[in-house]
Amino acid sequence: MNIRLSYLAAFLYVGAVVNDAVILDDILLLSWSKVLFLLSVLAFLASGLTLRKPSRVEFFCFLYAFSLISLSLLLSSGSFSSQSLSVGISLGIGFISFVIVYRSHLDLKVLCNCFFCWMIISVALSFFQAVSGHGYISDRVFLSNLVPGLYRGAGLMSDPNYFGLLCLLALALTFSQTISHRLFVRGVLVIGVILSGSRASAIALLIILIFSAYNKSMNFRKISIGVLVVFFSLLVVYYLRDLLPHDLSKVFDPYYYSQSSDRNSLSDRFSAVQSAFSVFMENPFFGYGIGNFVNHPYNYHGQVSHNTYTEILAESGLAGILLFLGFFAYLLQLLFSSADKGFGQTRGNSLVIFILVFLAMSMTLVTHYSKIMFFVITVVSLYLGSLKIKAGV
């Protein structure tokens, strides 16, 4: 095993996850993410992979990715479109990336340190973007919903909401890893969440702060208590919404979700969610086909629903949502099981928070075929794989 090559592969791989920049505007398929991913695969292969029978996590990941594709090909009510092909390719690449990194000799701490490094670079870029309104890798520039007078920072991502999600995931990982300058890294990531201008990210930050109190002791009962605490906290914020910045207070005002209000991002998203449920009711078991929701006649704005759960219901039906939730329930069960056996309990509990943040943010983003989702699966699987080595399995 070539350790330096493995480190380089990890750095390139994480760069592909956090990067949406296009190399040439005329060739949209040629992006830094694809180039970095290809280079990381070559580096991982050169550094050596472990040959062994497929693990259960690999099996469930394969089942999830290729079942969604098969449902669209065989049982959905819609045709297999160009959008279906694009989502299918993303699922296939995501599965391959997971298997390669999982079978590498990569240490989880190295991967996390690479993630922190890339996120510090992204937050620094987002600061310049927020202050100047320049330096974006796409043409999407918005005023901040959180800090008046600033623009929304997106770092190396094309969408500030996904940038906010990455900041939150990195912040959750600081509880699972022993890192130098921990307070500095956490401070940078919190700044990144604020600079993203993402209202959902600001609210999800509550989840990390509340559940971090359970970092040394986590189970389903305490998760339930934590959910109730989050709900109560949001209820308090709802009644104090007039004290919040106007754009943030709108999240807690039902008027802005209605069609009677002036068109805004909240009303558009609520409309898309309603359309997704209507599409779901046409074929509740297998949906309209992956990637096809944007083209359905009910979706008159022609946009994604900005909600992973309703998007899956519309495109893959109950079968798809059971695959998605079942896969993450299985990962959570493995993390709880490892804690019961006394292996890396604090780190395992932190990764529970890591997953919960991802699942919570998936209520405002479409993540079920994204590179970020497969990165989450990879991080958790590397941790679980390290426990098997410690246990001598």
Side-chain angles (χ1 to χ4, degrees):
M1 177 182 68
N2 189 321
I3 296 179
R4 291 184 178 179
L5 199 55
S6 179
Y7 289 179
L8 174 62
F11 188 75
L12 294 170
Y13 166 67
V14 177
V17 172
V18 306
N19 200 320
D20 280 343
V22 176
I23 298 175
L24 296 174
D25 291 336
D26 296 333
I27 310 176
L28 296 179
L29 292 177
L30 187 60
S31 65
W32 281 111
S33 179
K34 291 182 176 63
V35 171
L36 290 172
F37 174 68
L38 178 60
L39 292 175
S40 72
V41 169
L42 295 175
F44 275 125
L45 292 175
S47 64
L49 301 180
T50 302
L51 297 177
R52 59 174 183 267
K53 67 178 183 180
S55 66
R56 290 185 179 180
V57 177
E58 287 175 304
F59 169 76
F60 279 110
C61 189
F62 175 85
L63 179 66
Y64 168 77
F66 290 95
S67 290
L68 289 185
I69 298 173
S70 300
L71 289 175
S72 289
L73 283 171
L74 303 175
L75 299 171
S76 68
S77 58
S79 61
F80 196 80
S81 62
S82 58
Q83 288 87 353
S84 301
L85 180 62
S86 177
V87 173
I89 291 174
S90 295
L91 288 167
I93 291 176
F95 170 73
I96 292 171
S97 69
F98 159 67
V99 171
I100 289 176
V101 181
Y102 180 63
R103 288 178 172 270
S104 69
H105 300 279
L106 184 64
D107 184 85
L108 177 59
K109 185 175 182 178
V110 173
L111 184 66
C112 290
N113 285 337
C114 291
F115 189 28
F116 299 144
C117 181
W118 274 107
M119 290 311 301
I120 290 173
I121 294 172
S122 292
V123 172
L125 177 58
S126 75
F127 179 80
F128 174 75
Q129 293 168 343
V131 172
S132 68
H134 300 288
Y136 293 89
I137 64 169
S138 72
D139 296 330
R140 303 182 66 189
V141 182
F142 308 98
L143 289 174
S144 176
N145 295 318
L146 300 179
V147 185
L150 293 184
Y151 296 92
R152 296 185 66 180
L156 291 166
M157 300 295 288
S158 59
D159 189 316
N161 295 303
Y162 286 97
F163 170 66
L165 170 58
L166 287 170
C167 289
L168 290 168
L169 291 175
L171 182 61
L173 282 181
T174 62
F175 294 99
S176 70
Q177 298 295 310
T178 303
I179 59 174
S180 58
H181 310 298
R182 178 180 295 190
L183 291 179
F184 168 76
V185 174
R186 288 179 180 173
V188 168
L189 294 171
V190 170
I191 290 173
V193 171
I194 297 171
L195 292 176
S196 73
S198 169
R199 293 169 292 199
S201 296
I203 294 171
L205 189 58
L206 275 174
I207 297 176
I208 293 179
L209 296 177
I210 291 172
F211 280 100
S212 63
Y214 300 143
N215 194 40
K216 294 183 179 180
S217 178
M218 185 79 74
N219 53 45
F220 281 110
R221 181 180 64 84
K222 291 186 176 181
I223 285 181
S224 301
I225 295 173
V227 170
L228 290 176
V229 173
V230 170
F231 176 78
F232 178 76
S233 301
L234 292 177
L235 193 62
V236 172
V237 172
Y238 170 77
Y239 283 106
L240 299 177
R241 62 187 181 278
D242 292 338
L243 302 177
L244 300 173
H246 178 62
D247 284 334
L248 182 56
S249 67
K250 290 195 295 187
V251 174
F252 301 95
D253 192 336
Y255 168 75
Y256 290 99
Y257 295 89
S258 66
Q259 296 302 315
S260 59
S261 68
D262 293 333
R263 184 177 175 183
N264 61 84
S265 62
L266 295 176
S267 63
D268 277 2
R269 291 185 179 214
F270 187 65
S271 173
V273 167
Q274 289 179 309
S275 300
F277 276 115
S278 297
V279 175
F280 161 68
M281 293 306 297
E282 286 190 336
N283 188 355
F285 293 105
F286 305 112
Y288 193 58
I290 54 174
N292 285 344
F293 173 63
V294 293
N295 296 325
H296 196 282
Y298 290 161
N299 188 4
Y300 51 87
H301 287 316
Q303 61 179 353
V304 296
S305 65
H306 298 284
N307 184 308
T308 295
Y309 306 99
T310 56
E311 192 89 359
I312 295 177
L313 283 173
E315 297 185 346
S316 302
L318 292 173
I321 200 70
L322 288 175
L323 284 168
F324 180 80
L325 294 177
F327 189 15
F328 280 98
Y330 174 67
L331 291 178
L332 287 171
Q333 186 273 327
L334 290 178
L335 288 173
F336 289 133
S337 177
S338 67
D340 292 339
K341 295 175 182 177
F343 293 122
Q345 184 171 350
T346 300
R347 290 186 176 184
N349 291 333
S350 298
L351 289 176
V352 170
I353 300 173
F354 181 66
I355 290 179
L356 292 178
V357 168
F358 172 77
L359 293 177
M361 284 295 290
S362 294
M363 296 181 68
T364 61
L365 295 168
V366 175
T367 60
H368 62 288
Y369 57 87
S370 69
K371 55 188 176 182
I372 298 177
M373 186 197 77
F374 286 99
F375 175 73
V376 169
I377 296 169
T378 299
V379 168
V380 175
S381 299
L382 285 178
Y383 166 77
L384 293 170
S386 69
L387 295 185
K388 289 184 178 181
I389 293 175
K390 290 180 181 179
V393 178

